[in-house]
């Protein structure tokens, strides 16, 4: 049984590029708990709050419930659920999971494999991160679930069916935006080397986003993280969107985030395709949180 293949093949609800990272988040959380206590179980009532927070932070913008993956992950062969009445999940209803004392844990065969192969846990976790989340979120997501991973293996964990990233993407995007953050204009360098500038995918690579300039933005490290977290977005008129859900009272928060609302993008240079409407629309529907703030006064 190839646990990496099974991890890569988690069945998820999908329609028109909709993000549904419910199962990957639960499996990452379960791997972290196994790392902490290999014999422990996850009682639904004890972990519901943690899982709800993970979904709110790293899931799609619309409301959802951790009851869905807690029940349905069983069908992927990596998870089991027992209740006070015995083996088997009572279903995906929140009340039933709470009332019956539903407790989940990694499947027995997987727990045995993780004990035999100490490096398997890290490989599974990295595969889940790579397949479902942008690189800018990997470190903080590991902290959020409590995973401790060794430095990434030099060999990438890819299967024959997976795409390879285009190594030219970063240079093409940074050149298109003349090495300036498209949101704030930051253009720092050490000598001739740009620092703190990154190529952000608008439609995430893990969700079919191409390595094309019209799916990229040159962003400073701060705004790249906020873009991938759904705090910032790009409107139909190529102006910066700032979520009403973002709260910051400091001068720095006002200057570096809130004041961006309604600003036109910096770049790209003439002759370069701007961000494609389809990619902007995907990010607005699947990543951006809440309604945008009104444009700030000049």
């Amino acid at each position: 049984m190839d646990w990496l293949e099974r991890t890569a093949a988690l069945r998820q609800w999908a329609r028109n590029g909709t993000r549904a990272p419910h199962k990957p988040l639960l499996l990452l959380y379960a791997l972290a708990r196994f790392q902490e206590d290999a014999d422990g179980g996850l009682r639904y009532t004890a972990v519901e709050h943690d899982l709800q927070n993970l979904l709110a932070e790293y899931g799609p913008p619309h409301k959802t419930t951790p009851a869905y993956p807690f029940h349905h992950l069983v069908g992927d062969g990596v998870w089991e659920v027992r209740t006070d009445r015995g083996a088997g999940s009572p279903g995906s209803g929140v009340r039933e999971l709470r009332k019956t004392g539903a407790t989940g844990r990694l499947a027995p065969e997987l727990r045995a494999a993780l004990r035999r192969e100490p490096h398997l846990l890290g490989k599974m976790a990295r595969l889940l991160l790579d397949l479902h989340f942008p690189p800018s979120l990997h470190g903080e997501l590991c902290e959020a679930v409590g995973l401790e991973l060794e430095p990434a293996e030099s060999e990438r964990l890819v299967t024959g069916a997976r795409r390879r990233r285009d190594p030219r993407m970063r240079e093409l995007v940074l050149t298109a935006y003349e090495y300036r953050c498209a949101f704030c204009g930051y253009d720092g360098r050490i000598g001739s080397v740009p620092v703190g500038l990154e190529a952000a995918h608008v439609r995430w690579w893990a969700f079919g986003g191409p390595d094309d300039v019209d799916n990229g933005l040159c962003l400073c490290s701060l705004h790249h993280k906020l873009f991938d977290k759904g705090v910032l977005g790009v409107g139909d008129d190529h102006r910066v969107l700032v979520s009403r859900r973002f709260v910051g009272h400091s001068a720095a928060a006002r200057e570096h985030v809130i004041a961006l609302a309604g600003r036109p993008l910096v770049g790209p240079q003439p002759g370069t395709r701007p961000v494609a409407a389809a990619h902007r629309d995907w990010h607005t529907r699947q990543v951006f949180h809440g309604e945008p703030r009104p444009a700030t006064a000049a």
Side-chain angles (χ1 to χ4, degrees):
M1 181 179 299
D2 191 321
W3 291 106
L4 293 181
E5 288 184 4
R6 186 164 287 192
T7 299
L10 293 180
R11 294 189 296 275
Q12 298 177 78
W13 184 89
R15 182 186 298 165
N16 299 326
T18 299
R19 286 201 305 132
H22 308 67
K23 288 181 179 180
L25 284 170
L26 174 57
L27 187 50
L28 281 169
Y29 185 87
L31 289 171
R33 298 286 75 76
F34 179 89
Q35 197 174 53
E36 182 180 284
D37 179 6
D39 297 316
L42 304 179
R43 195 174 181 92
Y44 182 78
T45 51
V47 301
E48 182 179 13
H49 182 69
D50 284 352
L51 296 176
Q52 188 65 63
N53 284 344
L54 286 173
L55 282 169
E57 189 77 8
Y58 300 101
H62 56 268
K63 285 188 176 182
T64 187
T65 171
Y68 169 85
F70 203 92
H71 166 72
H72 287 287
L73 189 60
V74 172
D76 293 278
V78 297
W79 179 252
E80 67 173 5
V81 175
R82 298 180 64 88
T83 69
D84 295 338
R85 300 191 291 253
S89 172
S92 59
V94 173
R95 290 182 181 178
E96 280 300 302
L97 288 168
R98 291 171 178 166
K99 185 173 67 175
T100 60
T103 300
R105 58 164 53 181
L106 299 175
E109 298 88 350
L110 176 54
R111 297 201 306 273
L114 291 170
R115 289 188 174 96
R116 288 194 307 270
E117 306 171 50
H119 295 297
L120 177 59
L121 188 147
K123 290 178 178 179
M124 288 179 63
R126 292 189 188 284
L127 188 57
L128 288 165
L129 291 168
D130 194 34
L131 285 173
H132 303 285
F133 304 96
S136 67
L137 300 184
H138 291 183
E140 70 170 67
L141 187 44
C142 285
E143 290 184 16
V145 299
L147 265 174
E148 295 184 11
L149 299 182
E150 297 176 0
E153 299 85 355
S154 58
E155 236 178 86
R156 288 190 62 79
L157 299 170
V158 297
T159 65
R162 290 188 56 210
R163 300 180 298 141
R164 293 184 181 274
R165 295 178 186 264
D166 186 342
R168 301 170 299 170
M169 168 78 170
R170 180 179 184 276
E171 187 63 28
L172 290 172
V173 170
L174 266 60
T175 298
Y177 285 83
E178 300 181 282
Y179 295 87
R180 296 178 300 170
C181 174
F183 289 169
C184 69
Y186 167 83
D187 60 355
R189 295 172 180 262
I190 293 181
S192 61
V193 180
V195 291
L197 287 171
E198 302 165 356
H201 281 76
V202 179
R203 183 187 182 107
W204 293 356
W205 189 86
F207 287 85
D211 286 329
D212 296 335
V213 171
D214 66 0
N215 186 42
L217 286 170
C218 175
L219 297 177
C220 67
S221 301
L222 170 64
H223 292 141
H224 187 179
K225 174 63 71 69
L226 295 179
F227 186 64
D228 284 344
K229 293 277 282 188
V231 172
L232 300 175
V234 179
D236 293 340
D237 53 359
H238 295 274
R239 292 179 178 271
V240 182
L241 303 178
V242 178
S243 173
R244 286 183 180 272
R245 295 185 185 177
F246 176 81
V247 176
H249 301 294
S250 67
R254 292 195 299 271
E255 178 183 352
H256 298 302
V257 184
I258 296 171
L260 295 177
R263 281 191 193 176
L265 294 186
V266 179
Q269 59 179 294
T272 303
R273 298 191 309 273
V275 178
H279 303 322
R280 293 197 316 269
D281 180 61
W282 182 89
H283 186 275
T284 301
R285 288 185 292 106
Q286 300 299 325
V287 181
F288 187 74
H289 281 273
E291 294 297 318
R293 288 173 173 266
T296 55

